[in-house]
Amino acid sequence: MSTKIWDCVYQWLEFVQFRLLPPTCILCQRAGQNGRDLCHACELELPALAQPCPGCALPLPPGTGTVLCGQCLQGRTRVQTTVAACRYAEPVNQLITGFKYQRQLAAGRALTSLLADNIREHYRNRCLPQVLLPVPLHPQRLRERGYNQSLLIARDLSRALDIPLAADALQRQRMTSPQQGLSARERHRNLRNAFALAPHWQDECYQRVVLIDDVVTTMSTVNEIVRVLQDNKEQPLEIHLWCLARAWLDH
Ligand SMILES: [Zn+2]
Ligand SMILES: [Zn+2]
């Protein structure tokens, strides 16, 4: 299905699913709560990030009382701050797979709504970013899948938080293999020169932007985009990161 037709279908499905039908829990099919397709019990069961590092959202070592993790203290995290809705574990991993590959839009929408709550909390005493930049899909992959899950997340967040969305500022100029199953070094190599900035974006003068992705594991994608964004700016740009789930590789 072409992306244009899919866009119309998505908007229609969205209207029926999210405006007309009462919220239903995506995990147990009981009534949802707070206008969200999750019930209270299932929401409490979702894998939370215990004490996430404000820099990269990885859990801080328990009992150390540090403000940032070792990686962030050493300046190895290239984004200013990271917010995630959940830890990438059961059942969130299955929900995201359904959202990404099987058009289970309600799963994406419910997790995005949790992410919006975490963002409001995280930014209580600091300025929100000025524009949302979804991580792009390569046009060929977009044609196969019909939609970019990061753009759907960004659309919901744009509405919920009243922040403009720059849907096509970032472009994917090279097809890459899926990152899943690759080591950190392979992921980095896989993404080299994969992204570019749209010409019309290069003159934009934002100070704070936020990247939107579904799952963040090694930050390879994010770091590559940060490099592209900073390359084109004379003034340093503050780049934030928001994602549905934070994962990490076991060593
Ligand atoms: Zn439930
Ligand atoms: Zn950190």
Side-chain angles (χ1 to χ4, degrees), residues 32-101:
Q33 56 141 25
N34 301 333
R36 183 181 285 165
D37 286 329
L38 269 175
C39 72
H40 186 60
C42 290
E43 192 177 317
L44 286 177
E45 291 282 305
L46 291 180
L49 281 158
Q51 285 219 349
C53 166
C56 64
L58 289 180
L60 288 168
T64 53
T66 50
V67 186
L68 287 170
C69 76
Q71 294 272 336
C72 290
L73 281 173
Q74 289 168 28
R76 292 171 71 179
T77 305
R78 303 191 60 195
V79 290
Q80 190 81 15
T81 187
T82 303
V83 187
C86 299
R87 185 160 51 85
Y88 190 71
E90 295 280 343
V92 168
N93 50 0
Q94 289 180 21
L95 294 177
I96 292 180
T97 302
F99 170 48
K100 241 171 122 163
Y101 302 110

Side-chain angles (χ1 to χ4, degrees), residues 141-246:
R141 197 148 286 154
L142 183 61
R143 272 195 300 276
E144 289 160 8
R145 199 176 295 175
Y147 60 101
N148 173 4
Q149 71 282 355
S150 299
L151 175 59
L152 300 190
I153 301 167
R155 265 193 201 149
D156 282 355
L157 291 176
S158 172
R159 251 190 307 240
L161 303 166
D162 198 21
I163 303 176
L165 164 67
D168 52 2
L170 288 165
Q171 297 174 344
R172 201 123 183 171
Q173 56 183 5
R174 195 165 65 70
M175 268 292 261
T176 53
S177 323
Q179 295 279 85
Q180 226 161 13
L182 300 182
S183 70
R185 184 173 298 189
E186 288 164 339
R187 284 170 187 241
H188 179 69
R189 202 175 308 142
N190 186 34
L191 286 165
R192 206 170 291 160
N193 299 322
F195 300 97
L197 214 48
H200 69 268
W201 170 265
Q202 291 174 13
D203 300 324
E204 294 284 353
C205 45
Y206 292 107
Q207 288 99 43
R208 282 183 318 282
V209 303
V210 57
L211 296 178
I212 311 289
D213 207 354
D214 52 345
V215 181
V216 170
T217 308
T218 60
M219 293 261 186
S220 324
T221 304
V222 172
N223 288 344
E224 186 57 24
I225 294 175
V226 167
R227 194 181 63 74
V228 170
L229 284 169
Q230 298 288 23
D231 265 7
N232 284 277
K233 290 282 163 201
E234 284 164 19
Q235 300 289 329
L237 188 63
E238 208 179 276
I239 302 167
H240 302 205
L241 171 63
W242 297 346
C243 58
L244 296 186
R246 186 66 163 101

Side-chain angles (χ1 to χ4, degrees), residues 24-32 37-43:
T24 306
C25 180
I26 46 177
L27 289 166
C28 71
Q29 276 70 53
R30 292 197 201 111
D37 286 329
L38 269 175
C39 72
H40 186 60
C42 290
E43 192 177 317

